[in-house]
């Protein structure tokens, strides 16, 4: 990946009321080393992140991403981010994103081991070409997430529901899905309820109603799913959050995985069982998701 921009951030306290954070930023060459060997983001995956889609220099849905960053920080007991500082950093990254589609990544780490402060940085890179999954769709494999749907409430130390840097399990799930001949995975709880994909939210259509799994079971509330639900409601469709058995996915009239960078990828098969691809509706979803959204 050819990184276009990187900005190191000296994190300000959440109640720092200044209006200009320029002296807390250090732009660096993204091809050069920037982290120390004691950095806990690389040693332990101890940190959080957000990926913001950018279209022709416009960063999409900045405020929902910042709200989720703050929520993840709270779950992980990291210092609350100064959102005005992060807005300014995103603005600088956005200006360096160029034409076409790109992705801004926000990273907040616990910092250097035994160090006094967190480490934070922002990067910009061109997005991959997702034309094929957006238009031709993807096949998914259903994989057991290994816990019951009520586990997050009983074990908050598992940090389920936070967007952490610890994505080894998510990547392993995608590799397993590909071994099974699929393109991506959909997690289900051990007691048979649909959760989410490793890097995306799930939306299914039942008639004129669009449903996503209720944000329990440690589901990461998707910014793209929230935006698309607002769009669907404006078009007169019903939207709902439900605790869904895995049969709801198999029996759906149509289904999509949605995320900030890939956008809406229609599901064409679930465990090799075909699912209807709604070409027209999918195209309208991605047309909306590629439009400027704040």
């Amino acid at each position: 990946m050819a990184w276009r921009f990187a900005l190191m951030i000296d994190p300000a306290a959440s109640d720092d009321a200044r209006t200009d954070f320029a002296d807390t930023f250090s732009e660096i060459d993204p091809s050069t080393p920037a982290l120390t060997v004691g950095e806990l983001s690389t040693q332990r995956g101890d940190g959080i992140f957000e990926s913001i889609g950018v279209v022709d220099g416009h960063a999409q849905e900045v405020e929902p991403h910042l709200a989720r960053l703050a929520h993840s920080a709270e779950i992980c007991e990291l210092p609350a981010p100064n959102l005005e500082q992060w807005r300014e950093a995103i603005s600088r990254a956005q200006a360096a994103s160029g034409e076409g589609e790109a992705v801004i990544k926000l990273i907040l780490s616990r910092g250097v081991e035994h160090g006094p402060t967190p480490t934070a940085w922002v990067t910009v890179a061109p997005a991959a070409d997702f034309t094929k999954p957006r238009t031709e769709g993807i096949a998914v494999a259903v994989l057991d997430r290994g816990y019951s749907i009520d586990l997050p409430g009983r074990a908050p130390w598992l940090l389920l529901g936070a967007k952490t840097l610890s994505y080894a399990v998510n990547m392993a799930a995608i590799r397993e899905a590909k071994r099974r001949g699929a393109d991506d995975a959909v997690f289900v709880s051990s007691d048979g309820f649909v959760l989410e994909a490793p890097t995306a939210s799930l939306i299914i259509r039942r008639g004129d109603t669009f449903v996503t799994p209720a944000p329990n079971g440690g589901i990461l509330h998707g910014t793209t799913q929230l935006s698309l639900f607002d769009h669907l409601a404006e078009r007169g469709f019903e939207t709902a959050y439900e605790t869904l058995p895995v049969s709801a996915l198999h029996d759906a009239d149509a289904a999509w995985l949605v995320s900030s960078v890939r956008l809406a990828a229609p599901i064409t098969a679930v465990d090799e069982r075909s699912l209807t691809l709604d070409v027209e509706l999918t195209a309208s979803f991605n047309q909306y998701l590629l439009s400027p959204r704040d």
Side-chain angles (χ1 to χ4, degrees):
M1 180 178 290
W3 303 99
R4 292 176 178 165
F5 177 84
L7 188 73
M8 300 301 297
I9 302 172
D10 181 11
S14 60
D15 59 355
D16 189 327
R18 79 180 93 172
T19 57
D20 185 353
F21 290 91
D23 63 353
T24 68
F25 301 138
S26 300
E27 185 175 344
I28 62 172
D29 181 344
S31 67
T32 61
L35 301 176
T36 71
V37 293
E39 171 59 42
L40 292 173
S41 62
T42 55
Q43 283 198 19
R44 298 177 182 169
D46 193 355
I48 58 176
F49 78 102
E50 285 290 323
S51 297
I52 302 175
V54 186
V55 180
D56 293 330
H58 180 85
Q60 306 279 52
E61 298 167 341
V62 169
E63 292 308 312
H65 280 286
L66 286 176
R68 194 167 65 181
L69 185 77
H71 179 64
S72 294
E74 181 179 7
I75 293 174
C76 294
E77 299 180 82
L78 288 163
N82 184 303
L83 298 187
E84 191 56 41
Q85 181 185 37
W86 285 91
R87 287 187 191 98
E88 190 173 328
I90 292 167
S91 179
R92 291 179 177 231
Q94 177 179 253
S97 63
E99 296 183 355
E101 294 182 53
V103 55
I104 293 173
K105 284 200 172 182
L106 319 178
I107 301 97
L108 176 60
S109 156
R110 203 168 300 276
V112 178
E113 191 163 18
H114 310 305
T117 60
T119 307
W121 67 97
V122 171
T123 63
V124 179
D129 182 359
F130 290 112
T131 302
K132 185 174 180 179
R134 291 175 189 169
T135 57
E136 298 180 18
I138 57 174
V140 302
V142 173
L143 300 182
D144 189 343
R145 190 67 174 88
Y147 57 74
S148 61
I149 199 166
D150 66 342
L151 180 66
R154 294 187 287 108
W157 53 87
L158 295 179
L159 307 181
L160 300 170
K163 196 171 178 69
T164 72
L165 292 169
S166 304
Y167 256 47
V169 169
N170 303 59
M171 298 301 99
I174 292 174
R175 292 194 298 273
E176 175 61 25
K178 291 182 177 180
R179 277 192 288 270
R180 299 184 185 196
D183 304 295
D184 209 331
V186 171
F187 286 131
V188 296
S189 65
S190 58
D191 43 355
F193 296 99
V194 179
L195 300 172
E196 59 191 345
T199 64
S201 303
L202 172 69
I203 296 175
I204 69 171
R205 180 171 66 83
R206 291 191 315 234
D208 289 333
T209 300
F210 293 82
V211 184
T212 195
N216 51 27
I219 291 173
L220 188 71
H221 217 160
T223 57
T224 306
Q225 172 265 310
L226 287 166
S227 181
L228 194 54
F229 266 28
D230 287 343
H231 174 64
L232 287 165
E234 289 174 359
R235 293 178 58 182
F237 291 104
E238 294 290 329
T239 62
Y241 295 84
E242 297 180 12
T243 301
L244 297 169
V246 68
S247 59
L249 176 57
H250 291 137
D251 298 337
D253 293 323
W256 297 263
L257 294 185
V258 300
S259 56
S260 297
V261 182
R262 187 171 61 184
L263 305 183
I267 297 174
T268 58
V270 179
D271 289 338
E272 301 183 337
R273 178 177 172 180
S274 295
L275 207 60
T276 299
L277 167 57
D278 191 324
V279 174
E280 183 177 351
L281 190 58
T282 298
S284 74
F285 285 177
N286 283 316
Q287 181 179 20
Y288 164 71
L289 293 171
L290 285 166
S291 66
R293 293 173 290 120
D294 293 319

